[in-house]
Amino acid sequence: HPVLSSPLVPTVPPGNVHAEATNSTTIRFTWNAPSPQFINGINQGYNGLGDLRADGLLLQQSGSGGQRLTITFSRPVTNLQFTIADVDWLRSRYRDAIVLDPEPTSVTNGPPLQGNGTTGSPVSAVSAGEVTSDTVANRSRVTYAGPINSFTLYFSSTDGTTAQQIFLTGLTFFAC
């Protein structure tokens, strides 16, 4: 799992990376920083665009209501970017819909996707068809110019009640 920094990249990754659900709407991420002689700069993000099942944060939902994920930074960040993957639609079974708050600076959608991540225009698939998690076309790249302290991703299905999932990956930023 590469960790990005500037001006140089750490020569070792952080250790003891751990995610813990602190309540029904909050996940706390913790890790041990590399030893000072290996840091070579300021850690600026996490980039995991390899195997989504190993490198991505999985969000699942079933039925109505959806899921809400809030990510809060310990200090403001700029140029926050991340990828939402596996956005698809299977007619009466499910149709992924993603809303981001606050509204992102930009959302770049793969060809089968639409929307800018707002309540009136959620990121969703344009046409029906189930895709595998690693289908690159069914990804959206989200950018917040910032500075920003936190954002919330709301994930729901606008059709059906079949359990569905998306992935959040490739999170990068510059700490202020």
Side-chain angles (χ1 to χ4, degrees), residues 155-174:
F155 166 53
S156 62
S157 177
T158 59
D159 293 342
T161 58
T162 302
Q164 183 48 1
Q165 65 189 21
I166 60 169
F167 294 88
L168 178 75
T169 189
L171 182 73
T172 60
F173 56 86
F174 294 106

Side-chain angles (χ1 to χ4, degrees), residues 8-19:
L8 302 169
V9 176
T11 52
V12 297
N16 195 27
V17 177
H18 182 70

Side-chain angles (χ1 to χ4, degrees), residues 52-171:
L52 288 177
R53 298 204 183 273
D55 296 330
L57 175 62
L58 171 65
L59 293 145
Q60 287 186 310
Q61 75 89 34
S62 180
S64 62
Q67 296 291 321
R68 178 180 66 199
L69 171 70
T70 299
I71 295 182
T72 302
F73 300 94
S74 61
R75 61 186 191 193
V77 300
T78 60
N79 199 32
L80 169 62
Q81 296 184 324
F82 55 89
T83 298
I84 302 169
D86 195 17
V87 180
D88 53 359
W89 174 19
L90 193 56
R91 294 277 176 214
S92 63
R93 295 180 63 200
Y94 60 81
R95 184 177 188 187
D96 297 339
I98 296 104
V99 172
L100 297 153
D101 184 35
E103 181 177 342
T105 304
S106 68
V107 175
T108 305
N109 293 317
L113 304 180
Q114 65 183 0
N116 60 10
T118 62
T119 303
S121 180
V123 173
S124 61
V126 173
S127 59
E130 186 173 27
V131 299
T132 60
S133 299
D134 59 355
T135 302
V136 175
N138 286 63
R139 295 181 180 178
S140 292
R141 187 73 177 158
V142 176
T143 300
Y144 285 98
I148 187 170
N149 291 312
S150 68
F151 71 92
T152 301
L153 182 150
Y154 300 92
F155 166 53
S156 62
S157 177
T158 59
D159 293 342
T161 58
T162 302
Q164 183 48 1
Q165 65 189 21
I166 60 169
F167 294 88
L168 178 75
T169 189
L171 182 73

Side-chain angles (χ1 to χ4, degrees), residues 37-60:
Q37 71 266 27
F38 300 114
I39 291 180
N40 303 324
I42 299 170
N43 288 344
Q44 295 182 337
Y46 170 78
N47 188 10
L49 280 175
D51 177 1
L52 288 177
R53 298 204 183 273
D55 296 330
L57 175 62
L58 171 65
L59 293 145
Q60 287 186 310

